Amino acid sequence: MINSVDKINLSFEKNYQDIFKKPELIQTYLNQRSNKFDQIIIKEFLHRELETDFAIVALGGYGRKELFPSSDIDLSIIQLKPKTNKIEDIKDFIGWLWTLKVKVGHSVRTIKDIEKITKSDLKEFTSYLSYRIIFCKKNKLPSLNRNLDKISNKWKKNKFFNAKKLEQNNRFKSFDSTEFNLEPDLKESPGCLRDFQTALWILEHCFEIKKLEDCTKLSLFTREEIVAVNKSYAHIKALRYILNLYSNSNRFSFENQLLLAKKSKLKSSKKSSAVEKFMRVFFLHASNLSDFNELVFQAYED
């Protein structure tokens, strides 16, 4: 099964030139990677007969089906019964997860445990905003969904907004506070993936908007602006994916910029080198994401 994940990566690399031109294609590969790991995990979970006492929930990027080659798999294993005699079995299952050749973050908690920790821990609370149930028995699924949805009530809107603003300001300081950093981190630098995700969390929790397209109902953005920011987000996701095939880091070094410009089949001209053209496109999309993030924060403050 892991070999099939490698095939997805090879297919992405083979088609990268087309993806660079049409970045929305990236989500197909991210979906395929997430779905493949879902299948692997569910098969082993059922094989060990853990479904009567536990459910498996994907969090963070895995929850959003944005599983890059360097991404961690973040799992919340939810204990559905107050008492279970399968604690040793779930420990063995967690040990097995490390055979997947990816870094696995996990927790085993009851719903009460989750409510308690998300009430005081911003990072944990945010991770559950992107939850996705991988497996739960059908008769317990409605209850689990209700309980997980209730977690969003643990943080008041103003408290969440202010905490996210402080968190973002600290992140910006550590990455030179500009989307025009010459060697940006594609995940955390201003104008990169985290800017878009943070704006979405503000929209979801503070504006109660579940889909970006619904911003038009509140007149926050036009349809054209939403299309443009989605394209910019997809572009940088595509860059992170191809970068991760050659590096475990998300750092967009000068060396990697030259490599990806070559992979994108851009040609030098008298006015601009291939890498200059490549980075000009990157900075345009980074600027779009930075503006989007700033406008969402400003809209809530207003």
Side-chain angles (χ1 to χ4, degrees), residues 276-288:
E276 286 174 334
K277 290 180 179 179
F278 179 80
M279 291 307 294
R280 195 177 299 130
V281 174
F282 166 77
F283 286 127
L284 172 65
H285 288 299
S287 183
N288 284 345

Side-chain angles (χ1 to χ4, degrees), residues 26-184:
I26 176 60
Q27 196 56 47
T28 298
Y29 296 91
L30 293 172
N31 287 343
Q32 287 175 357
R33 280 181 56 85
S34 296
N35 292 341
K36 189 57 63 177
F37 277 103
D38 286 357
Q39 293 169 18
I40 297 168
I41 290 168
I42 290 169
K43 182 179 179 181
E44 187 68 20
F45 184 73
L46 295 177
H47 174 70
R48 293 172 183 265
E49 299 180 348
L50 296 167
E51 70 275 12
T52 56
D53 293 34
F54 301 93
I56 311 179
V57 175
L59 302 178
Y62 187 29
R64 294 188 300 272
K65 287 198 170 185
E66 293 180 350
L67 194 62
F68 296 90
S70 71
S71 293
D72 298 349
I73 285 183
D74 292 321
L75 294 176
S76 177
I77 300 170
I78 300 179
Q79 186 177 321
L80 300 173
K81 295 181 177 180
K83 293 184 179 180
T84 176
N85 60 359
K86 294 192 174 184
I87 293 298
E88 291 302 318
D89 294 326
I90 204 70
K91 286 181 179 178
D92 288 342
F93 173 71
I94 290 168
W96 169 84
L97 288 171
W98 291 97
T99 67
L100 296 178
K101 298 181 181 179
V102 293
K103 187 177 179 181
V104 179
H106 69 274
S107 63
V108 181
R109 297 170 177 153
T110 63
I111 287 294
K112 287 186 177 180
D113 293 333
I114 295 171
E115 289 176 346
K116 184 178 179 180
I117 194 167
T118 53
K119 190 175 182 180
S120 59
D121 190 312
L122 177 67
K123 186 176 180 181
E124 289 284 351
F125 176 78
T126 304
S127 70
Y128 279 93
L129 289 179
S130 303
Y131 85 84
R132 178 172 61 86
I133 297 174
I134 295 179
F135 189 87
C136 179
K137 291 192 73 174
K138 286 185 179 180
N139 63 325
K140 297 178 181 178
L141 188 58
S143 174
L144 180 58
N145 266 317
R146 281 196 306 271
N147 286 325
L148 289 173
D149 287 341
K150 284 179 184 177
I151 290 170
S152 63
N153 298 325
K154 298 301 176 184
W155 282 67
K156 298 295 184 183
K157 293 178 181 179
N158 284 351
K159 180 184 177 184
F160 179 75
F161 176 82
N162 289 328
K164 276 295 169 192
K165 187 175 181 180
L166 177 61
E167 180 185 72
Q168 177 161 284
N169 287 340
N170 290 334
R171 174 169 61 86
F172 283 179
K173 286 177 185 177
S174 65
F175 288 98
D176 300 330
S177 300
T178 175
E179 66 270 28
F180 299 111
N181 189 316
L182 295 180
E183 291 187 298

